[in-house]
Amino acid sequence: MVVITFHSLEDRIVKNAFKEVSTPKKVDKRIPQQGIEKIEYRLLNRKPVVASVQELEHNPRSHSAKLRGVERNENEKN
């Protein structure tokens, strides 16, 4: 899934949602674990993709656009 945001508040929501599904949950090391938690998604890029200088010259409205993405892990697909 790929999302383009145009506002910082939108970007924060997407960033936090993607981080939540792509990182393992923190658990207390003292508690015995039943198994290894599988992560369903992985981030496509750590930093958002933003418009290049050439794109900004051609399309000045693209200065606030940020692209973020996650990908479903192959071993989790049905």
Side-chain angles (χ1 to χ4, degrees):
M1 176 170 59
V2 179
V3 177
I4 299 174
T5 60
F6 295 98
H7 192 272
S8 62
L9 294 176
E10 295 171 350
D11 188 53
R12 182 173 303 266
I13 292 168
V14 172
K15 177 177 136 178
N16 290 339
F18 284 0
K19 181 179 176 185
E20 184 178 322
V21 297
S22 66
T23 56
K25 307 296 181 257
K26 295 192 179 211
V27 295
D28 191 352
K29 300 270 186 208
R30 298 172 289 180
I31 299 174
Q33 300 297 314
Q34 294 292 330
I36 298 172
E37 180 182 357
K38 296 176 183 170
I39 302 172
E40 285 190 57
Y41 298 92
R42 72 172 186 88
L43 292 175
L44 293 177
N45 46 359
R46 289 188 59 85
K47 300 282 185 174
V49 177
V50 294
S52 65
V53 174
Q54 183 180 13
E55 173 69 22
L56 289 172
E57 290 173 0
H58 180 67
N59 181 10
R61 292 173 22 175
S62 67
H63 75 278
S64 63
K66 293 183 180 180
L67 178 91
R68 293 184 184 270
V70 292
E71 178 180 45
R72 185 179 291 244
N73 287 333
E74 290 296 323
N75 56 2
E76 295 297 322
K77 288 185 179 178
N78 292 339

